[in-house]
Amino acid sequence: MPDSHQRGPRRFTLIELIVVMVILSLSIGMILPRVAASWRRMEDREFLQEFVQTLKRARLRAMNSGGIVAFRIRGSERVYDLELPPQKPIPSNVDIDAVSLEIDPKTRDSLILFFPDGSMSGSDLKITFHQERAFHISINPLIGTVHVTEIKS
């Protein structure tokens, strides 16, 4: 005699599926901003490293070549480099502040000049990311060494 209460394979109800979808949505909503913030900090760190490496390269190039090497920042085009014209982009989320840099009268670039003896002209720089995280780049004017410290607010 066939059993009228015999059921087929167990399936999920619509309510169970909705609950699972809500849990997944909440989990993704909590995780995604953290992943995005970590990605942004990694991009910021890469720019800061490349910027500092270019400063160090300027000093070494001056000492090796026996001539003056200019580290250029062209704020109007948001680029920097040792070359003329500067080619390396400054991201839109980055602000660079400096006091008393030399100005190239022809190009209006802000300059830090490195001399063959390892010394330099210019001043310290402050790099701010997203108007929240800031770093102080200090360059020893006598020996040209570069140090980076995060500014705690």
Side-chain angles (χ1 to χ4, degrees), residues 55-76:
L55 281 167
K56 290 178 178 179
R57 214 173 5 263
R59 178 175 179 260
L60 289 174
R61 188 180 289 180
M63 292 170 61
N64 289 336
S65 70
I68 298 172
V69 173
F71 177 89
R72 298 175 171 276
I73 300 173
R74 188 171 290 174
S76 61

Side-chain angles (χ1 to χ4, degrees), residues 13 15 83 90 93 140 144 148:
T13 65
I15 297 294
E83 308 304 324
I90 299 171
N93 64 322
N140 185 309
V148 179

Side-chain angles (χ1 to χ4, degrees), residues 13 34 49-50 54 72 83 86 96 109 147:
T13 65
R34 291 182 184 185
Q49 272 185 324
E50 178 59 32
T54 305
R72 298 175 171 276
E83 308 304 324
I96 300 175
D109 293 345
H147 296 285

Side-chain angles (χ1 to χ4, degrees), residues 67-127:
I68 298 172
V69 173
F71 177 89
R72 298 175 171 276
I73 300 173
R74 188 171 290 174
S76 61
E77 297 175 24
R78 299 193 58 80
V79 291
Y80 73 97
D81 207 343
L82 304 180
E83 308 304 324
L84 185 61
Q87 300 292 319
K88 296 181 180 182
I90 299 171
S92 60
N93 64 322
V94 174
D95 294 321
I96 300 175
D97 298 316
V99 179
S100 68
L101 293 183
E102 304 278 333
I103 301 294
D104 185 331
K106 294 177 185 172
T107 63
R108 306 302 299 156
D109 293 345
S110 298
L111 305 174
I112 298 174
L113 300 175
F114 289 87
F115 301 103
D117 63 358
S119 64
M120 47 78 69
S121 73
S123 71
D124 295 350
L125 302 167
K126 178 183 174 187
I127 296 183

